[in-house]
Amino acid sequence: GESVGLHLPTLSVQEGDNSIINCAYSNSASDYFIWYKQESGKGPQFIIDIRSNMDKRQGQRVTVLLNKTVKHLSLQIAATQPGDSAVYFCAEKGGYNKLIFGAGTRLAVHP
Amino acid sequence: GAGVSQSPSNKVTEKGKDVELRCDPISGHTALYWYRQSLGQGLEFLIYFQGNSAPDKSGLPSDRFSAERTGGSVSTLTIQRTQQEDSAVYLCASSLYRGSNEKLFFGSGTQLSVL
């Protein structure tokens, strides 16, 4: 099946710093992108989404940036807190196709 | 219910036995996904149901895996003759399908351990 099974890279940041998590997506026809957060022992939780007709979208303490030219997506977290420690996944979707997840990045926030 | 419900939360089985994993999606959600997540890894797509359309089974790893969705609601993922490499967390997600803007809501998963 379609797999995103890789050893997860880890981003370590100090509490209060800004975090930037990057994701490269595969399908240039994808027109919808989502970021999910997964805490230990739980299912992924929606953070923020963006359509391909936008290049930036802001939420509460989070910003998603989309660069369609290089098929790159990033999630910026402002003033990172210990509660932000989790694994973060990007996902892409095109039209009526299924949602496909990226490999995931572990965010570790240190006091 | 308020969210996606999966049962059991944990399942320990012996190699060679069959297992059934259940997913109750959010009421009214027409799309339902099954994913598999091995320890410390990403989400592997297994199968996708959308309304009355034929399911997308392209992610099922072998013919030991099957899934059904009855009445457009509850889904069951069945693994026959389980193997140790089947050990993983099996996640179910549902969405109120509206074209491309598909926001999935996940259950907490079933942790399957095959001894």
Side-chain angles (χ1 to χ4, degrees):
Chain A
E2 296 188 38
S3 173
V4 292
L6 298 173
H7 295 292
L8 299 177
T10 298
L11 174 65
S12 293
V13 299
Q14 292 293 121
E15 181 178 357
D17 286 353
N18 296 332
S19 302
I20 300 176
I21 301 171
N22 297 303
C23 176
Y25 64 92
S26 58
N27 188 352
S28 58
S30 293
D31 60 4
Y32 179 60
F33 305 88
I34 311 181
W35 280 98
Y36 281 88
K37 172 186 180 183
Q38 187 177 28
E39 296 174 286
S40 181
K42 299 182 180 179
Q45 183 179 19
F46 172 87
I47 302 174
I48 191 169
D49 57 359
I50 188 169
R51 293 292 312 266
S52 59
N53 61 353
M54 303 172 68
D55 53 21
K56 180 179 181 179
R57 190 171 186 207
Q58 289 185 295
Q60 187 176 12
R61 279 202 309 118
V62 295
T63 301
V64 55
L65 298 177
L66 175 63
N67 185 331
K68 294 181 289 294
T69 302
V70 295
K71 294 189 288 186
H72 184 267
L73 197 65
S74 68
L75 177 71
Q76 299 179 0
I77 304 174
T80 313
Q81 302 169 1
D84 296 325
S85 294
V87 176
Y88 290 80
F89 294 97
C90 67
E92 61 179 303
K93 188 175 189 296
Y96 296 95
N97 295 321
K98 54 189 176 287
L99 196 65
I100 297 298
F101 282 77
T105 297
R106 187 179 307 279
L107 178 64
V109 182
H110 303 286
Chain B
V4 177
S5 178
Q6 292 187 244
S7 61
S9 54
N10 283 281
K11 176 70 176 179
V12 180
T13 190
E14 294 179 349
K15 178 182 173 182
K17 295 288 180 68
D18 297 351
V19 295
E20 285 190 352
L21 312 180
R22 178 187 169 102
C23 174
D24 282 275
I26 294 173
S27 178
H29 279 195
T30 59
L32 187 148
Y33 290 78
W34 283 98
Y35 288 88
R36 178 168 71 174
Q37 187 173 33
S38 300
L39 184 64
Q41 299 198 13
L43 278 71
E44 177 187 5
F45 167 77
L46 296 178
I47 188 168
Y48 169 46
F49 296 90
Q50 171 50 46
N52 296 320
S53 301
D56 179 346
K57 302 181 181 181
S58 61
L60 295 178
S62 77
D63 59 7
R64 296 187 295 105
F65 288 72
S66 63
E68 62 179 23
R69 188 178 185 191
T70 54
S73 181
V74 172
S75 178
T76 302
L77 177 69
T78 301
I79 309 173
Q80 296 178 310
R81 304 181 303 281
T82 52
Q83 304 294 314
Q84 288 183 333
E85 61 262 30
D86 299 334
S87 296
V89 175
Y90 290 82
L91 290 162
C92 175
S94 71
S95 76
L96 183 62
Y97 186 73
R98 287 177 179 170
S100 292
N101 294 11
E102 187 171 18
K103 182 189 301 183
L104 267 61
F105 294 84
F106 281 84
S108 295
T110 294
Q111 172 74 63
L112 176 65
S113 300
V114 182
L115 304 180

